Amino acid sequence: MFFQLVTLYLNRMTAQDKSDKTRKPRWSKNKKRNWRRRIDISEVEDGLDKSRLEQRTGGLVKNKANHELFFIEKKSGDTGLTHRQRRKEKRLTADKIIRPNPDEVLPSSRRNIAKLRRKEKHLNLMTKLQIYPRKRKTQVNKSVKKSNDMDIWSYNPRELTCNLFGKNDVTVHTETIIGEAQVKRPKHLFSKPATDAKAVEVAHAGASYNPTFEDHQNLLLAEHKSELAKCRETERIERSVMVDASTIATAESKEKELTEGLFIDGNDSGVHEDETDEDDDLNNINISVGKPMTKKQRKELARKQIEDKEKSKDWADKLRQNEVYRIKTFLSEIQEKERQIEAKKKRKMERKKQPMLSSTKFVEPDHDLQLSSEIRGSLRQLKPEGNLMVDRYKSLQKRCIIEPKQRFKPPRRKYKVKYQEKRTFREIEI
Amino acid sequence: MGKIKKKYEAGAATQYISRKQACRKLQLSLADFRRLCILKGIYPHEPVHKKRVNKGSTTNKTFYFLKDIQFLLHEPVINKFREYKIYVRRLKKAEARLEKGIANHIRENKPTYRIDHIVRERYPNFIDAVRDLDDALCMCFLFATLPKSGRLHIQTIDLCRKLTVEFMHYVIATRSLRKVFVSIKGFYFQAEVMSQPITWIIPHSFPHNHPTDVDFRVMSTFTEFYTAMLGFVLYKLYQTQNLHYPPRIPLLSNVNVTLNDDNKKRKRKEEIQNLCDENEKSLEVVASLNMPLAQFQDANDQEEDAAADEEVEDLLKEGLTETQEEDQKKSEDEIKQRKLFEGCKMFLSREVPREAMVFIIRSFGGEVSWDITAGLGSTFSIDDEKITHQIVDRPMNEKPYISRYYVQPQWIFDSVNAKMQLPVKGYLPGDVLPPHLSPFVNEENGAYVPPERQKVIALQRGEDPGINADEDELSEEDESEEEQEEEDGESDEEKVKENIDEEDESPVVAITPGKKDVDRKLNPDQIAAEEKRLAVMMIPKKQRRLYEKIKYGERRKKREAEQLTQKRKAIDDEKKATRKKEKRRKRAA
């Protein structure tokens, strides 16, 4: 019962601890029993275990001399550490500055000049005695391993990567735990993006250095059409922006507008001349009002209107009734329209749309051709046309391997740069 | 309340990633990201619903698949890019502080990387790499001709040149060249490597203007990848042919040996020594494409090959099924084509584009040489009596040798495309050449076939297309020909009358052994047409409609072709008429 109470009490204490970490569990130090129970002698016991182990296996370590425990390594680099681990064990630059290596002597300080001279002397002595110091290796690019086997298809792709770059931590991990490497090339990457376009599109037959008449004419015609289309585009834009010169305000017309209605009461002689002309026109206008219509006339007018209405209605009805005999033509018209719509749809679907991969649109390159006057017909006199670099670049863009790009233009300044001389310099007079 | 579904968190919006986001994810600059995508073969894609992917806006951005970018994260070459960036930074600092020793030390430890694993990963099979050779070859040939600059180092140019030379050697060794087309852009070639047709273009040897609207960094990255890939592919191809890679020439002493005079020899040797340095000599001789390459096994293999060829021919002679007969024909044609210039010894004049011509002629079994002072690698001189053809492109001023044909280079191109040695007649120096037709044009049935092509087809069949009746040979013969034609016509009629009279006069009634009717030598065309007509009659009614529709389309095409022929005829007649008028005027004057 008492023990239960004690344990409850202790638990309560630990619960309090969770909220308030600074408190230690208190126990009464009166009784010997508590001392026997509460004290944690595990550390002492561990120490004793260790010393007993040491005694069992060759004597206590603290009693041993240095040469019995350690040996000076004659062969360098064989610490069993990987490149990464060794880099970790390197001294930090901060440490190097604070506590420099006594062997490394900076040549900049005056005190060290003497040291350097001493070192040089020592080196010369060693070379005379033919005792050479160990050379420090320069940092060789160890990742570039020259593989003499040029047949890469005899290797696994992962093997090659490991040979060239060493194993990644991730690959090691996945290999040990899962048993195979996780990273595979996605399947859709094994086919090219645009499968219908060929890598090398052979030029049109009219682009031969000695073409037949028909082929050359066909090529010229095709290019002519595309050029016309371009011209039409530019013309269309110009037309929509076209401004009639006569509608543009000149200084004269502006003045005239502004002075309209002013200078009326014979102040300026020049204005009078215009007025006389206007008066004549005003006098010539004849406004005839006429007599009002009589009842008879009104009735006749109404009757006429009704008659006209009926006539037109009858005519419309007649036409409508006769349309029954035109059903066939209507049907054929409808069918024709539907066919046209479908053909248009089909043509639109078939016209392959070049996917838009960036903000600039892909522009089809012009065919390279020579005019009839430029064709020489001889290989010796041939003057080549077109640039292969541009041709290849455009072909890559067409096949969606790279996205079309505009030449980088540095952004235009929104506000002009203002320069100001500093006040202190402004005051200086040369 | 359940989880609130937000927009653009699932579906298409999560499958694509924009270029900027991808750069941030990979922690690379834009230039490095582009380079990585080109090397790894990652392409941008246009999403079907741009608005969904772009989170409501419709601006045109570059999108990549998220899976692709996640795949890129595992690429070890990225670390090399970062190391290179740091290398550049350190180097710039050292140079700016004028610490030359440190700068040199940094330059010695420049980080480099290899992309063998990328090539292997992109082409799981060797055939995939062979299929992609088109692009690689075009790039390498193009870069081999560029001048060195700040952006383009001499090592890249040299590597491209070396690879192109090695590929051409392979094509020569396997005799796999099939088509040649000379255009104003450059030379188009098509070869068959591992039964894959490969087309590439070589630029004309002219200086280019550096174009302004091409991103040179992108092109040089492509070249970097393609040179690596091409190297591996060539190694494998050479392995299949038992050739040494890198190519070696067995005996260099064969070069320039055929001179008699000692004095001449010494002079010539001096001239030759001035052509290139000693250390470059072997490379230059390989690059001249005129020497056979060193193989691994010599005599045994050749005998085996010859025996294999004979066996194939024997098999071919036996009777086989129809499809096999077609294949047999094809392989026979191929074997014929490979030996097109076999036995020909050709000499190239200086004005002819040497490398292309050597490549073409040697790919069909011919022997070539050129003037000793024009370059290394010439095997015989112009005085050699066994020369069969000399290729000239300018008006001839020297005395012609009788034992050889003098032709213009187009004879070679047209012969290759016609798969037979064309008659030399139209290609003599000073002649107006017939037009150079493109072999890449597929002619459909009923399409317009220009008369030049018809001639070639006729020659291929072995018929004489009537070359002697050329329009070029207009003289008094023309008028006399016309008169003769009229006379011939009359004589034919007379002959017919005579025959009839004879039959009436002599009614011999006796049993004589009968004369065989002369087998009507039907054209292969006519036989085919008859068979077709029979097949058409057998079509069932249901499918006849469809057939009629197809036929209607074909007839329309034929009509168009006829119109074109008539046009051509009209033009030719005009030409003839003008020429006649001129002749008459000359005669009158």
Side-chain angles (χ1 to χ4, degrees), chain B residues 456-474:
Chain B
V456 169
I457 292 169
L459 276 169
Q460 281 179 334
R461 285 216 204 99
E463 300 156 13
D464 184 18
I467 294 172
N468 292 323
D470 249 348
E471 300 159 12
D472 292 324
E473 290 179 327
L474 276 182

Side-chain angles (χ1 to χ4, degrees), chain B residues 285-332:
Chain B
V285 173
V286 170
S288 70
L289 297 174
N290 213 5
M291 301 283 162
L293 296 177
Q295 290 197 309
F296 276 114
Q297 290 139 344
D298 288 328
N300 295 335
D301 261 354
Q302 281 178 3
E303 284 172 18
E304 281 175 25
D305 285 337
D309 269 335
E310 281 175 23
E311 278 178 38
V312 166
E313 284 180 34
D314 288 333
L315 277 171
L316 294 173
K317 281 174 191 166
E318 290 169 30
L320 302 160
T321 59
E322 274 186 20
T323 49
Q324 281 178 313
E325 273 178 21
E326 283 175 24
D327 290 341
Q328 170 199 344
K329 258 194 177 176
K330 271 191 192 170
S331 48
E332 268 182 12

Side-chain angles (χ1 to χ4, degrees), chain B residues 40 68 177 263 310 378 383:
Chain B
K40 289 283 271 184
D68 293 348
L177 191 63
N263 279 334
E310 281 175 23
S378 72
D383 314 318

